[in-house]
Amino acid sequence: MSAQPTPRRARFPLRDRPGLVWLTLAALVALAHPLVPAASWLVVHLVLLGAVTHSAMVWSTHFTQALLKTPDSLDDRRRQNRRIVALLAGTALVLVGVPAGWWPLAVTGAALVSLSVALHGLALRRRLRHALPGRFRITVRYYLVAASCLPVGAALGAWLAHGLDDEQHGRVLVAHSMIMVLGWLGLTVTGTLVTLWPTMLRTRMDDRAERLARQALPVLAGAVSLLAAAALAGHRGVALLGLAVYVAGLCWWGRALLAPTRQAPPRTVATVSVLAAAAWGLVAVVLVGVRLATRPSWSAVADGYDVVAAVVAVGFAGQLLTGALAHLIPVVLGGGPSVARAASRRFDRAWVARVVVVNVGLLVCLLPVPAAVRVSVAVLVLASLAVFVPLLISAVRAAVAARRALLERVADGPPTLPVAPGLPAVAATGTGGQVVAGMALVALAVSLGVAAGPPSTGSKPGPAVAVQATGHTTRVRVEAHDMAYSPSAVTVPAGDRLVVDLVNVDPGSPHDLVFEDGSGTSRVMPGRSETLDVGILGADTDGWCSIVGHRQMGMMLHIRVTGAPPSSTSAASELALPGPQTQVDLTHDVDPGFRAVNATVPPLEPSREHRVTLHVRESVLDVAPGVRQRRWTFDGGVPGPTLHGRVGDTFVVTLVNEATMGHSIDFHAGEALPARVMRTIPPGGRLTYRFTADRAGLWMYHCSTMPMTAHIAAGMFGAVLIEPPDLPAVDHSYLLVQSEAHLDGDGRTVPAGVDAASASADTPDLVTFNGMADQYLARPLTARQGQRVRLWVLAAGPNRGSSFHVVGTQFDTVWSEGSYLLRHGRGAGGSTRGGAQTLALAVAQGGFVEITAGRPGVYPFVTHQMSDAERGARGAIAITP
């Protein structure tokens, strides 16, 4: 007999599916994080803003209806769907707009999210007004207060995306995160668990539950308000007090959950996951409290805040959502206990092992372990959470099959199965074995991480000198800071084993320690440490930091062995001097689809305040035809984005470091205290640089992290074009930024790196305009006969200036470093019919020249330092009739 239609309550796609989509996207972004800009931010917000916010809204609606039993007409499915669609659209806009730096898009998304949750709150209030008196109306009041928190938190999030200075960013970040996590999500969860937790445990509710929940609500809501207001006002002590009051309110409320837990301890994937989530939520609160109590400033509170975000997103939100859905989905599918059991069995597959992997793995990730270990364990944790998605799909299919079989049996005769309320507890068979399996998986991930990364433990042979082992270990603490190790030299008796505890106390950059034999640490992030077993030593040796340029800056650790003859000078003890330079064939055929970097000056915007977000990224780019280099960039291109403004304009630039090492930024166009805004920020860090352009000029900006030769040579530079007030319009305005490239490799078989030693010695392989040699020979600039052409030129270096010349023409206008040297043929002395042949620029100087396009043809341009022109600093202007 054919099955009857599935009950309507089991079909609500907009309620059930979006959360799974957001979770799946979060897992994919996390696994592909090296290729995704702002991956950490995206993962956190895909989980919290995407999956958890959606679930909080739709399931609080579900629980409100279940508690109040009001008519569906008060908030029918069509209205709910409109709110959900608005929430999905708003979330998508935020997730695109913030990483891309499109602030209007982010604001629009935040407004849509706020509107959808505000309408959700109004719908709950309408149900509450029309409901008959009954128990646990307090749960709905929790939802109403929570819904009032989200628009405030969303507005603060949009403010964060707008770009703030470091101190303000730290204050707004704490306020935003606490309102969203403790207010919107925290109050929704606490209001729900009052009734849901005993139901999940299948036991009796504490008689005090409603009274305790009613007493705790004003305490929790007041604490969130106090914490957020204190953070915005900059009072860390008061903010810490607000956090303590919130914890006290939770403890008072949580007494209602103790009796049910003692009566029926958690034994299912749903209950254990929710309990673990609550524990990690408390850990996150403690972490925030420690930061507020110990960090010297709000910017320091914000530094490394991604640790708190990871605990909230994975430990708290990820487990809470999967645990709650593992209980709710079988219930809302309907069909009776047999159908619910069929679905629950799918969720219970290897659940103990999965819970062990998530919680133990997250704990390992928070410890000071090597980066490779952290990555391998994180992948395992994410996989364990992500497996919930296929399990849910499998559970729904199993429930549908069980319901179909049940309906067929009902059609054939009266049911023989007993009908009992609730779901039977699922026995956790083989729990001990699953715990062991989960721990083994985490141990395997740790082992794979150790094997994949640079060796950091175990017996490593020292220099190949015969020596009798003493059996004694010399252990030293070495701090890395400011391009140096402290101490810079270590004395070890011959035959001793040397163990180095490398501690990175540099606030801005990761560091490592490597030795000639290949042993070494992974990159140690600021504030973290790693232990390296160097091995048994019989001769002097040296270690160094392998991050590009750090060794050239003198970041070396000298190991001196006593009681043994000194070894011959190690190759590691001498800085690598540049050898023969890479021979780059600039006549290499150009691909027909090749596109040159657009040299047209971007248009001048009407706004007098320019807000820009620059993302530091490591990108593989062409530096010559057929030659590729792994470059360090602002926003993925070389040069970085051109900022165009007028005298008096204000620029608010947010720098986000998405690279693997520390970087910084220095704007020549504004005056600022270097120690405040030009400091190096670590991977994942951000700062805001605000300046007013008081003077006209073509100004350079660049990374100022040492060694600057390497960072600028790798591509970290750009231009700020501030027009003089009387600048006339022209037909074409082009910008050419000259710089040098230093290749560590040939760049043809695999992308080359940057050769820091070559950059320091000023022996470039290529000299380029706009980051690529000869590109404007392959794709010339264009003008029509008789048109006026302005050519802005900036010498970015790092070491060489420019003597810019256009072959076959003369300049009648020359403007350099803020003033005219020649204007329409009139010189400074008032002479007429004057002309110029070059624009002479020292390193970091800029200016422009103008020509009137003459007879049709191709006019080459070069730097007249001919060796640099032959290295690629050349191009052409094609003039057409």
Side-chain angles (χ1 to χ4, degrees):
M1 178 180 175
S2 61
Q4 296 179 18
T6 302
R8 181 174 176 78
R9 64 172 175 164
R11 294 177 178 173
F12 196 168
L14 281 178
R15 180 194 65 190
D16 302 332
R17 295 176 184 173
L20 301 182
V21 173
W22 293 129
L23 282 178
T24 303
L25 289 175
L28 293 175
V29 169
L31 293 175
H33 70 279
L35 306 176
V36 180
S40 298
W41 184 93
L42 267 178
V43 170
V44 169
H45 286 78
L46 279 166
V47 173
L48 297 180
L49 181 60
V52 179
T53 292
H54 169 82
S55 297
M57 193 173 83
V58 298
W59 288 106
S60 59
T61 298
H62 171 85
F63 289 125
T64 297
Q65 175 59 16
L67 288 169
L68 301 181
K69 297 180 173 55
T70 51
D72 288 341
S73 58
L74 288 175
D75 187 25
D76 59 25
R77 181 72 59 85
R78 183 174 301 176
R79 292 177 182 174
Q80 295 180 40
N81 281 342
R82 284 199 294 264
R83 294 198 300 269
I84 295 172
V85 169
L87 177 64
L88 295 176
T91 301
L93 291 177
V94 170
L95 294 175
V96 172
V98 173
W102 299 337
W103 191 68
L105 201 66
V107 171
T108 303
L112 275 174
V113 171
S114 300
L115 176 64
S116 62
V117 174
L119 293 175
H120 160 72
L122 291 174
L124 297 186
R125 188 168 178 272
R126 188 183 307 115
R127 286 185 182 273
L128 191 62
R129 286 204 320 268
H130 287 80
L132 296 174
R135 296 186 66 197
F136 293 105
R137 294 164 64 93
I138 187 60
T139 292
V140 184
R141 299 193 186 280
Y142 269 82
Y143 296 157
L144 292 176
V145 178
S148 70
C149 290
L150 186 135
V152 180
L156 293 175
W159 193 13
L160 280 173
H162 195 33
L164 306 168
D165 64 42
D166 290 356
E167 281 296 296
Q168 201 171 29
H169 176 84
R171 286 189 276 178
V172 177
L173 175 63
V174 171
H176 162 72
S177 60
M178 293 299 95
I179 288 176
M180 295 298 281
V181 175
L182 301 185
W184 162 239
L185 298 180
L187 292 177
T188 300
V189 170
T190 51
T192 302
L193 287 182
V194 171
T195 56
L196 182 63
W197 183 244
T199 304
M200 294 175 71
L201 294 173
R202 302 176 187 91
T203 189
R204 186 174 177 274
M205 189 180 301
D206 192 318
D207 293 335
R208 305 171 299 168
E210 187 174 13
R211 175 171 54 85
L212 292 175
R214 187 180 302 109
Q215 293 168 346
L217 178 58
V219 176
L220 296 173
V224 172
S225 301
L226 177 64
L227 173 55
L232 292 174
H235 300 302
R236 285 190 293 125
V238 179
L240 190 59
L241 174 64
L243 200 63
V245 172
Y246 191 91
V247 172
L250 278 181
C251 293
W252 186 263
W253 160 86
R255 294 190 302 158
L257 308 186
L258 292 179
T261 305
R262 285 196 297 265
Q263 294 166 9
R267 292 192 179 91
T268 65
V269 62
T271 53
V272 173
S273 295
V274 170
L275 188 63
W280 281 112
L282 184 59
V283 169
V285 171
V286 171
L287 288 175
V288 175
V290 169
R291 285 174 170 272
L292 291 173
T294 61
R295 298 297 174 96
S297 64
W298 285 100
S299 62
V301 171
D303 285 343
Y305 208 72
D306 55 335
V307 175
V308 177
V311 170
V312 171
V314 177
F316 172 68
Q319 293 194 100
L320 177 73
L321 185 59
T322 56
L325 290 180
H327 170 80
L328 292 171
I329 293 300
V331 173
V332 301
L333 286 173
S338 62
V339 175
R341 279 194 298 268
S344 296
R345 279 193 292 268
R346 302 302 175 97
F347 286 120
D348 288 333
R349 289 180 175 176
W351 73 265
V352 176
R354 289 189 279 122
V355 170
V356 168
V357 166
V358 171
N359 291 278
V360 176
L362 180 57
L363 180 61
V364 170
C365 290
L366 297 178
L367 297 175
V369 296
V373 172
R374 187 174 292 108
V375 169
S376 62
V377 175
V379 169
L380 178 64
V381 170
L382 291 169
S384 299
L385 283 174
V387 78
F388 176 82
V389 175
L391 286 178
L392 188 147
I393 295 172
S394 175
V396 172
R397 290 176 176 173
V400 170
R403 185 188 298 112
R404 183 180 295 113
L406 179 62
L407 292 174
E408 289 176 351
R409 287 197 300 271
V410 169
D412 293 336
T416 58
L417 294 174
V419 179
L423 296 175
V426 179
T429 58
T431 299
Q434 289 194 41
V435 171
V436 172
M439 296 295 291
L441 285 172
V442 174
L444 177 61
V446 171
S447 301
L448 291 174
V450 171
S456 58
T457 58
S459 298
K460 299 290 183 300
V465 177
V467 65
Q468 181 67 38
T470 64
H472 180 262
T473 298
T474 297
R475 187 165 191 149
V476 295
R477 172 188 169 97
V478 175
E479 293 185 349
H481 183 265
D482 199 21
M483 300 298 169
Y485 295 113
S486 179
S488 61
V490 175
T491 300
V492 183
D496 269 22
R497 179 182 302 281
L498 175 63
V499 176
V500 177
D501 294 316
L502 180 66
V503 183
N504 187 1
V505 296
D506 193 326
S509 178
H511 295 289
D512 61 15
L513 176 62
V514 300
F515 287 88
E516 202 175 358
D517 64 356
S519 63
T521 68
S522 61
R523 289 193 177 183
V524 181
M525 300 301 292
R528 294 186 177 271
S529 63
E530 188 170 328
T531 298
L532 172 66
D533 185 343
V534 182
I536 298 171
L537 297 178
D540 295 352
T541 187
D542 291 330
W544 63 91
C545 182
S546 69
I547 294 176
V548 175
H550 289 200
R551 182 181 172 195
Q552 283 72 22
M553 291 295 297
M555 194 166 187
M556 299 189 68
L557 178 65
H558 306 286
I559 310 297
R560 299 296 173 252
V561 178
T562 61
S567 61
S568 59
T569 302
S570 167
S573 66
E574 300 178 0
L575 294 181
L577 296 177
Q581 295 303 298
T582 305
Q583 297 300 310
V584 178
D585 178 13
L586 297 181
T587 64
H588 187 79
D589 291 338
V590 178
D591 188 285
F594 169 75
R595 297 179 63 184
V597 174
N598 185 7
T600 301
V601 173
L604 194 61
E605 297 179 356
S607 173
R608 301 306 298 269
E609 182 177 89
H610 309 269
R611 291 187 173 269
V612 181
T613 300
L614 296 178
H615 301 267
V616 178
R617 295 169 182 156
E618 296 173 4
S619 307
V620 176
L621 302 172
D622 289 335
V623 291
V627 180
R628 295 173 70 74
Q629 184 182 30
R630 187 172 297 280
R631 313 210 74 182
W632 307 340
T633 72
F634 294 110
D635 269 16
V638 175
T642 299
L643 309 185
H644 191 183
R646 313 168 190 79
V647 174
D649 283 8
T650 298
F651 292 82
V652 182
V653 182
T654 300
L655 181 69
V656 182
N657 188 357
E658 298 174 3
T660 60
M661 60 185 295
H663 291 288
S664 57
I665 195 164
D666 172 7
F667 284 97
H668 294 188
E671 296 177 312
L673 185 64
R676 182 172 179 83
V677 292
M678 300 177 196
R679 71 183 188 278
T680 298
I681 59 173
R686 60 190 293 148
L687 64 77
T688 298
Y689 195 133
R690 180 189 295 268
F691 66 90
T692 299
D694 293 323
R695 299 174 179 88
L698 180 58
W699 306 93
M700 181 179 177
Y701 69 86
H702 61 92
C703 179
S704 57
T705 298
M706 299 299 286
M708 272 189 264
T709 49
H711 284 250
I712 295 173
M716 301 199 72
F717 57 84
V720 180
L721 196 164
I722 304 301
E723 293 189 0
D726 57 348
L727 187 67
V730 293
D731 297 296
H732 295 281
S733 186
Y734 294 114
L735 171 63
L736 300 169
V737 182
Q738 181 182 311
S739 64
E740 303 107 58
H742 300 261
L743 307 181
D744 185 9
D746 64 12
R748 294 197 183 278
T749 54
V750 295
V754 60
D755 189 334
S758 172
S760 178
D762 187 19
T763 53
D765 299 295
L766 299 166
V767 182
T768 73
F769 285 123
N770 291 346
M772 197 185 316
D774 285 354
Q775 60 176 321
Y776 300 117
L777 288 181
R779 299 291 184 267
L781 307 180
T782 61
R784 296 183 60 130
Q785 185 177 12
Q787 287 186 328
R788 189 76 174 167
V789 179
R790 179 176 294 136
L791 297 162
W792 294 85
V793 184
L794 173 68
N799 301 310
R800 301 192 175 206
S802 180
S803 180
F804 184 75
H805 172 66
V806 179
V807 180
T809 69
Q810 297 173 344
F811 307 140
D812 66 3
T813 298
V814 179
W815 188 87
S816 178
E817 287 294 284
S819 65
Y820 283 96
L821 304 180
L822 186 68
R823 189 170 189 178
H824 295 294
R826 184 178 296 275
S831 61
T832 59
R833 304 292 296 175
Q837 55 198 314
T838 66
L839 171 62
L841 301 170
V843 180
Q845 289 189 332
F848 69 79
V849 293
E850 292 180 4
I851 62 172
T852 298
R855 288 179 294 179
V858 176
Y859 294 78
F861 58 79
V862 297
T863 175
H864 225 286
Q865 186 169 334
M866 296 313 300
S867 62
D868 287 348
E870 291 165 1
R871 287 185 173 99
R874 55 196 174 188
I877 304 174
I879 297 176
T880 58

